[in-house]
């Protein structure tokens, strides 16, 4: 039987050698790719010399004081906290009830630490990250991200490109570095050229509206207690519509 190390290496090699979608040409069309974010996570590891979970803690969660953000929370939360604070992520998984374990099967096969999935957090911590970007990379007077980095993150790098997303026909290619821009399908009427954010498959989302100085961290779950509702986007957009009406 192969060692766990060789088992993991084989899976990562499969990820890193995965080809583009058939017919896709780099630089011509935008299509979301979990594989792309997995590769980005590996680039972070190469640049920092740390595992991705360690890099997250030392470069972001630690400096921001985020005590509830990280991969594999079962490894760093106390037993009491695991029992009282971890919300189940899926009750109908082939792995049984998931609590403190990443929902995404690929991330789970990669040890729970991957660039596309696996980070656990609270709404409070997520809002701090949104505020960090809203404030140009500073937090409580301390610079966490270089100003130039924050600007590049929030600039549209896909202007003029078409987007491919069969599940979301209204999605555009407007995309920064790690965030999407001006996406009405989940931002609702808060959507604008400057509004940015991110979503997760299971239902969480972060939305930041610079004009209103508004940060919205919305944690929903499409997979628990069952899959009877499978599309969180109408709820996300409805909350955006409500805030657009109430917050000037």
């Amino acid at each position: 039987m192969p060692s766990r190390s060789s088992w993991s290496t084989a899976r990562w090699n499969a990820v890193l050698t995965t080809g583009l979608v058939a017919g896709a040409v780099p630089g011509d069309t935008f299509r979301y790719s979990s594989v792309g974010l997995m590769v980005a996570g590996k680039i972070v590891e190469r640049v920092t010399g740390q595992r991705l979970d360690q890099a997250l803690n030392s470069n972001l969660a630690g400096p921001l004081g985020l005590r509830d953000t990280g991969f594999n929370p079962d490894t760093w939360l106390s037993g009491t906290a695991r029992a009282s604070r971890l919300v189940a992520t899926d009750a109908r998984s082939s792995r049984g009830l998931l609590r403190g374990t990443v929902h995404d099967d690929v991330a789970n096969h990669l040890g729970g630490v991957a660039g596309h999935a696996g980070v656990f957090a609270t709404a409070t911590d997520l809002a701090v990250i949104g505020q960090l970007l809203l404030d140009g990379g500073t937090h409580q007077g301390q610079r966490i991200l270089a100003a130039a980095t924050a600007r590049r993150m929030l600039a549209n790098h896909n202007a003029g490109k078409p987007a491919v997303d069969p599940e979301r026909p209204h999605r555009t290619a407007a995309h920064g570095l790690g965030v999407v821009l001006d996406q009405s399908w989940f931002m609702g009427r808060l959507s604008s050229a400057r509004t940015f954010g991110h979503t997760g498959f299971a239902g969480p989302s972060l939305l930041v509206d610079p004009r209103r100085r508004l940060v919205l961290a919305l944690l929903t779950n499409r997979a628990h207690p069952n899959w009877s509702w499978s599309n969180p986007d109408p709820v996300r957009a409805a909350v955006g519509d409500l805030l657009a009406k109430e917050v000037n």
Side-chain angles (χ1 to χ4, degrees), residues 127-138 145 149-150 153-154 177-179 196 206 208 210 213:
V128 171
I129 295 172
Q131 190 70 47
L132 170 72
L133 295 175
L134 181 60
D135 291 337
T138 63
L145 297 174
T149 298
M153 288 183 66
L154 305 182
L177 301 179
V179 296
F196 61 90
L206 172 67
V208 181
R213 297 287 300 173

Side-chain angles (χ1 to χ4, degrees), residues 184 186-191 207 209 211-212 214 216 218 233-248:
S184 61
F186 87 91
M187 297 175 177
R189 293 175 184 166
L190 288 177
S191 183
L207 185 157
D209 181 351
R211 186 181 74 79
R212 292 178 173 83
L214 173 70
L216 169 63
L218 180 63
D233 294 344
V235 174
R236 291 164 167 161
V239 174
D241 289 347
L242 177 63
L243 289 174
K245 177 181 178 182
E246 299 295 334
V247 180
N248 295 315

